[in-house]
Amino acid sequence: MASDREITLGDVGRTIWRGKWYIVIAAVVGAAIGLLFTLTSTTQYTASAKVYLGQATTMMGNLAQTAGTNPLTAATVLQGDVVVDAVAEKTGLTRSQVNSGSDISVPRAPGTTSTNQPAIATITARTASTDTSIALANAYAEVALAGANSGYARVQQTLENQVRVATADVAALRAQANRGGGSQSAIISQLASLRTDLATAQLQLARVQQIEAPAVVSLAKSAASSSSSSNRMRTAIIGGLIGLLLGTVVALVVGGTRRRGASAT
């Protein structure tokens, strides 16, 4: 007669212990498969570079976002045809090689929105050559920086022109005041207004240079190998853990089958 007794944790533990060899063998086989995979697979070299894409602002100084600086869309922009073509030309690789050998991520910090944080692109290159991976990551970073700088340069040039014009106007009006021509009170009032405009333009230029200016955070100087001892050990451990879980499942299934068979008899 079949027993109606509930299965306890003790029963599960004893079942696992009785099937320990399933677990040991599965773990060893999993680790061996993981190690064999690293030995037989093509060695890949990974290099990475980081670029600050800049932070657009409004005339009032409020943060704004463009498709190229929004963390939600920046990666898509950097993987567009124009950028890929430029990287391919710079590295001598084909578009297909650039696309397959690179990955772009622009992570967003937890708890923030896409409009109140800077966008830093991490460019990861993964190829079968150390030099190619380093060159691809750095070329991508340089092309990304050039694209980000194109918009920033126009803003900077506009503000620099405003500062230059305001400075010249202040100098001209000061010279007129020194000569004593015209209404001195009107000249003084106009000079004060121009000085305010100059100070505002200078502050806007300083803010833009500090916040909006894109920059390379880091360039790739070396590449990590997928066949390094640490990577091989990591893969073997992962394979062993997967084997451990599968062995445990097998031990429980076999133990449960035997228990049901014994209860039936």
Side-chain angles (χ1 to χ4, degrees):
M1 179 180 296
S3 174
D4 292 332
R5 185 175 67 86
E6 293 183 355
I7 297 176
T8 64
L9 289 178
D11 295 330
V12 174
R14 284 188 291 272
T15 299
I16 292 175
W17 177 251
R18 283 193 293 268
K20 58 184 176 294
W21 290 113
Y22 292 114
I23 301 174
V24 172
I25 292 172
V28 171
V29 170
I33 291 174
L35 183 59
L36 182 63
F37 175 78
T38 63
L39 294 173
T40 58
S41 61
T42 302
T43 301
Q44 295 287 306
Y45 297 91
T46 303
S48 63
K50 293 185 178 182
V51 178
Y52 170 54
L53 300 176
Q55 173 65 71
T57 60
T58 65
M59 291 299 295
M60 300 300 296
N62 298 321
L63 300 182
Q65 288 292 342
T66 65
T69 61
N70 190 322
L72 299 179
T73 58
T76 302
V77 173
L78 291 177
Q79 291 170 324
D81 291 342
V82 174
V83 177
V84 172
D85 287 341
V87 175
E89 182 178 358
K90 198 175 185 66
T91 58
L93 300 174
T94 65
R95 294 184 75 256
S96 176
Q97 289 173 322
V98 172
N99 282 323
S100 62
S102 61
D103 180 69
I104 313 294
S105 64
V106 186
R108 188 175 69 182
T112 62
T113 66
S114 59
T115 58
N116 65 358
Q117 69 166 341
I120 298 179
T122 299
I123 301 158
T124 303
R126 188 175 291 104
T127 71
S129 165
T130 301
D131 293 339
T132 302
S133 293
I134 295 174
L136 177 56
N138 290 342
Y140 223 125
E142 292 168 3
V143 171
L145 178 64
N149 267 329
S150 63
Y152 165 73
R154 289 192 294 271
V155 175
Q156 184 183 28
Q157 184 178 9
T158 299
L159 290 175
E160 286 177 345
N161 288 338
Q162 290 179 359
V163 170
R164 190 179 302 110
V165 171
T167 301
D169 289 344
V170 168
L173 198 59
R174 185 183 294 118
Q176 181 180 348
N178 291 335
R179 290 194 301 268
S183 172
Q184 290 296 307
S185 60
I187 292 176
I188 292 174
S189 176
Q190 188 176 0
L191 183 60
S193 177
L194 285 176
R195 284 174 173 170
T196 300
D197 293 341
L198 175 59
T200 301
Q202 288 173 331
L203 286 173
Q204 287 179 336
L205 179 59
R207 171 179 52 77
V208 165
Q209 291 173 333
Q210 181 180 15
I211 299 176
E212 296 190 20
V216 170
V217 177
S218 63
L219 291 175
K221 294 182 173 59
S222 61
S225 171
S226 62
S227 61
S228 64
S229 57
S230 59
N231 283 336
R232 287 178 175 174
M233 180 63 69
R234 187 183 306 111
T235 304
I237 291 174
I238 293 174
L241 290 174
I242 293 174
L244 183 69
L245 293 174
L246 293 176
T248 302
V249 172
V250 171
L252 291 172
V253 171
V254 172
T257 302
R258 288 176 178 174
R259 186 170 58 253
R260 286 194 296 272
S263 299
T265 57

